[in-house]
Amino acid sequence: MNLPSRLLLSLLLLAPALPQHASAATDKVLIVVSGEGKDAGKQRPGYEFDELSQAWLVFKANGLQVEVASPKGGAVEADKYNPDEPFNAALLADAQAMRQLADTKATAAVNASDYAAVYLVGGKGAMFDLPRDQALQQLLATVWDNGGIVAAVCHGPAALAEVRLADGSLLVAGRQLTGFSNEEEAIFGKKWAPQFPWLLEDALRQRGARWQEAPLMMPKLVVDGRLITGQNPYSTTAVAEAIVRATGRTPVARTPWRDEASMALVERLLSGDVQGAHASLAADVSRHHVELIGILGYYQAQAAANDAALEQALQVMELALPHMQEAQLKLAAAQAHLTLKRPAQARTLVLQALAGNPQLEQAQALLRQIDG
């Protein structure tokens, strides 16, 4: 054996063993979606297409291969979504992606060692079939025990509740994570939550998870080693890019989609830069989803448990108000002002709402309340 050969052998013997997930499988992510969906979520809830499409595009842009599975395999149906959003339109135009969604792999038929990561998509359907899929539980346990990445967003963490590792411990026990919160479920889960086996937050807390959450529908990413979770649909890209980083890559630069830009603007507003947030929105309204900002503030006001939370919700509504002519948003902001004992501001907003619709009974009733 010549010197170079002996040197190479010595280096190989001295080199530390690579972690098991740093193998050929580092190029492949398995996306798991619910197969419950029927009639765009009207008869049975399915998966969230936005949470699939945004993550898929991030994975592909960073050189990761994608495969899709569901508990029973075959075609899967998403809940109602906007096909014109750029991320959804891009995935719908991807013939290979559409073929996979038309014939997903069954979770019982996939090999855990083929994947660097498993990403669990949310949607209310995930609360029904993912937690009871024993093949999925075994798949997740094996991926984890092999050193792989386990990630989930929104209701996707429901799949983690019953996962037991090789040593018998629950995967979630003692680990930091997030998911669709009880507060969010109380607002947005009225139709299907009564049929869930449990509320997601309750189940994961009971199993020893160290639960974290952001205010209602705000983005939240939690990374605990190889466990990556996001609170709601607006956490999707943060989860996807965290998966990319966990495979040893640096996510490629990209322009945020308008939902992301809008949520970042709200975070900027709530961090104290009120003037800057208003100026940024006014400078480029088209880059943002103004209706999303308004609806976010509206629902945060409905959920506000104290004056401080209501004040923040009002700030969010007032960010959108100059760019929306929606009477209900004006009245919600007026009600917030009135609750915060600012009747003059409330009256101004009610009169604006009545100017556009003099017969609006809700506005008339609120004006009578203000004028007492």
Side-chain angles (χ1 to χ4, degrees), residues 278-292:
H278 277 268
S280 292
L281 182 57
D284 194 352
V285 176
S286 64
R287 183 170 173 264
H288 298 87
H289 192 165
V290 175
E291 292 78 9
L292 172 61

Side-chain angles (χ1 to χ4, degrees), residues 49 78 118 120 131 220 249 273 313 368:
F49 198 83
V118 178
L120 303 155
K220 178 70 174 178
R249 295 166 167 80
D273 186 10
R368 288 194 295 269

